Amino acid sequence: MAVLGIEGGIFGSALEEFNRAATVLGLERGIWNILSHPKRQITVSCPVLMDSGEIQVFTGYRVQYNLALGPAKGGIRYHPGVTLDEVTALAAWMTWKCALANIPFGGGKGGVTCDPTRLSRRELEALTRRYVAEIIDAIGPEKDIPAPDVNTNEQVMAWVMDTYSMHVGHTTTGIVTGKPLELGGSLGRREATGRGVMIVTREALKHLGRDLAHATVAVQGFGNVGSISAELIAREGATIVAVVDWKGGVHNAAGLDIPKLVEYVRVNPEHTVAGFPGGDPITNDEFWALDVDVLIPAALENQITVDNVGLIRARLVVEGANGPTTPDANKLLHDRNVLVIPDILANGGGVTVSYFEWVQDRHGYFWSEREVNERLEAKMCEAFEATLRTALQYRVDMRTAAYMVAINRVATVTRMRGMYA
Ligand code: NAD
């Protein structure tokens, strides 16, 4: 079967990372072949009756990249740029992220090519319900569990859950994670990614002989991941000296007051940190060149590139965002002995607590926030230690090591399960 995107494209880049780690692992040809192909790619047409009375047909995708460890897990993205290539790459990354987190999930991802800013609430609900109906045979709490991604939220997840439940004839909360608390969501899910970033930052500094309580930190992006990472890191005693977002940045060498900054962004009509009175404005270039211990890119992909990597003076980069460092820049940082904690490790807290949400839904018994956080702490530390051990043993960077741990886990169960034919 020809796999779309296998030559070049985003999936091509995902395969490059896979190939590098698989080479160091010495992965045998057969398993290599299996793990570099998506198990299932579904494309559906979703007709929607628009408010205008016209029928518009949207294209949706669901890719289940690998199911060796358990049901597929991955978000649903609504964006005009969604393609099968992109969804396949994202599903592959979810496979490695879940395996590294050591949770019993495979990797999946979904998307609908649409511009949600141009849809009314009714149209968005109709599109969501039709998309779910079109993929319904492929999803389920034992098969494939979606979650929010770009431009989808708790409300969209509630519609996914309701549509699935209507089809099977009973309420099935475990079909989706990232739900509202009232519908079987988990305490601590909203903060989970930022909490995971804080935990790996603390562990990485420990490895470097440093203490988070005395570290200086700069954060790019102040949305869910950036703001919560900053808040929790500041609570550990570290000094957050700068934050930048899409509109501008703010710097205070003595430390920004993060709770005040969160409130400033909340009430600001443009939801930006720019203009915060508790610091001075800072440009992007000044931000990357700050003399800090830790940089946390928590905004978008491709932010640390060959053009700005030379400015970086931090000793540690923790990738809160997905793909914030280009491969060339990653190599330059490694050569300069800057420790980079890769995205699949650093932001794995989100999917880990999604797993906890699924477990709680299936038991119908819900944990306290303290229990969620303690279990997250244990999982993040375990993943960090496994990655660091591999990096030291094979003398590779943390990104390659994280992929090696993940690929090895999926390869091991694939070998054990054998070939069904
Ligand atoms: P978000 O939309 O809540 O926040 C994004 C932030 O990035 C905003 O502060 C925005 O102003 C800023 N930003 C946008 N463009 C920018 C630019 N050009 N320069 C600087 N800042 C810019 O998103 P989020 O949920 O915090 O996700 C951030 C990243 O983390 C994404 O890569 C996402 O895929 C990844 N991630 C998120 C989660 C999660 O649980 N939310 C889990 C894993 C990975």
Side-chain angles (χ1 to χ4, degrees), residues 117-132:
T117 62
R118 301 173 74 111
L119 298 176
S120 69
R121 184 182 160 94
R122 192 205 61 79
E123 290 167 341
L124 194 66
E125 178 175 351
L127 173 59
T128 301
R129 290 187 183 277
R130 185 60 189 245
Y131 168 66
V132 173

Side-chain angles (χ1 to χ4, degrees), residues 55 207 271 286 288:
I55 290 173
H207 166 66
H271 299 299
E286 287 166 345
W288 295 118

Side-chain angles (χ1 to χ4, degrees), residues 97 189 193 220-225 245-246 298-300 320-322 347:
K97 197 179 287 190
R189 171 63 191 89
T193 308
Q220 185 203 31
F222 207 64
N224 174 277
V225 181
D245 67 14
W246 69 278
L300 302 172
N322 283 317
N347 68 36

Side-chain angles (χ1 to χ4, degrees), residues 65-400:
Y65 190 80
N66 188 286
L67 304 178
L69 285 168
K73 185 84 195 84
I76 299 172
R77 175 172 295 199
Y78 288 174
H79 194 272
V82 163
T83 62
L84 182 57
D85 174 49
E86 180 191 50
V87 177
T88 304
L90 292 166
W93 280 316
M94 283 305 297
T95 304
W96 312 130
K97 197 179 287 190
C98 291
L100 179 63
N102 210 5
I103 57 181
F105 285 149
K109 203 80 180 189
V112 177
T113 314
C114 66
D115 181 353
T117 62
R118 301 173 74 111
L119 298 176
S120 69
R121 184 182 160 94
R122 192 205 61 79
E123 290 167 341
L124 194 66
E125 178 175 351
L127 173 59
T128 301
R129 290 187 183 277
R130 185 60 189 245
Y131 168 66
V132 173
E134 293 292 344
I135 61 169
I136 207 141
D137 290 336
I139 61 172
E142 313 264 0
K143 292 181 181 174
D144 183 348
I145 306 126
D149 192 66
V150 174
N151 293 327
T152 57
N153 55 19
E154 287 192 347
Q155 177 59 72
V156 174
M157 295 309 112
W159 291 328
V160 171
M161 195 278 264
D162 185 68
T163 307
Y164 184 86
S165 298
M166 289 297 124
H167 275 251
V168 296
H170 53 89
T171 295
T172 310
T173 52
I175 171 60
V176 71
T177 61
K179 298 179 295 293
L181 267 183
E182 298 83 344
L183 284 181
S186 176
L187 289 167
R189 171 63 191 89
R190 197 182 65 83
E191 299 83 5
T193 308
R195 182 172 295 279
V197 169
M198 179 276 284
I199 294 167
V200 293
T201 304
R202 187 194 64 211
E203 294 304 301
L205 282 169
K206 232 187 259 174
H207 166 66
L208 295 173
R210 300 290 312 270
D211 180 7
L212 180 57
H214 300 108
T216 52
V217 182
V219 183
Q220 185 203 31
F222 207 64
N224 174 277
V225 181
S227 68
I228 293 169
S229 304
E231 215 166 349
L232 296 177
I233 286 171
R235 242 185 253 169
E236 294 294 309
T239 309
I240 311 287
V241 298
V243 173
V244 292
D245 67 14
W246 69 278
K247 189 79 196 294
V250 58
H251 174 252
N252 183 340
L256 294 163
D257 183 329
I258 299 299
K260 278 198 183 136
L261 185 56
V262 168
E263 184 53 19
Y264 175 84
V265 171
R266 195 183 66 79
V267 299
N268 182 312
E270 292 193 297
H271 299 299
T272 173
V273 300
F276 178 60
D280 302 316
I282 186 171
T283 66
N284 248 321
D285 278 357
E286 287 166 345
F287 173 83
W288 295 118
L290 282 171
D291 188 10
V292 286
D293 300 311
V294 189
L295 273 178
I296 302 182
L300 302 172
E301 62 282 358
N302 296 335
Q303 294 301 297
I304 301 178
T305 67
V306 285
D307 296 329
N308 62 11
V309 70
L311 299 173
I312 291 179
R313 293 154 81 190
R315 176 75 184 81
L316 173 65
V317 174
V318 180
E319 294 185 337
N322 283 317
T325 314
T326 65
D328 291 347
N330 184 64
K331 188 171 178 315
L332 290 168
L333 287 172
H334 182 62
D335 292 347
R336 279 177 34 204
N337 210 22
V338 177
L339 185 63
V340 179
I341 307 302
D343 45 9
I344 62 166
L345 171 59
N347 68 36
V351 76
T352 301
V353 176
S354 280
Y355 162 58
F356 296 161
E357 180 176 335
W358 176 79
V359 170
Q360 293 170 78
D361 287 338
R362 286 162 65 86
H363 285 206
Y365 181 78
F366 290 85
W367 309 345
S368 68
E369 191 164 355
R370 194 167 58 85
E371 282 171 284
V372 171
N373 291 344
E374 281 173 6
R375 289 177 161 126
L376 174 62
E377 165 86 25
K379 281 281 188 201
M380 293 302 301
C381 289
E382 224 180 79
F384 179 84
E385 280 157 24
T387 306
L388 182 62
R389 221 178 13 252
T390 304
L392 297 174
Q393 184 183 342
Y394 289 86
R395 296 168 180 272
V396 293
D397 62 23
M398 288 287 277
R399 190 181 314 279
T400 307

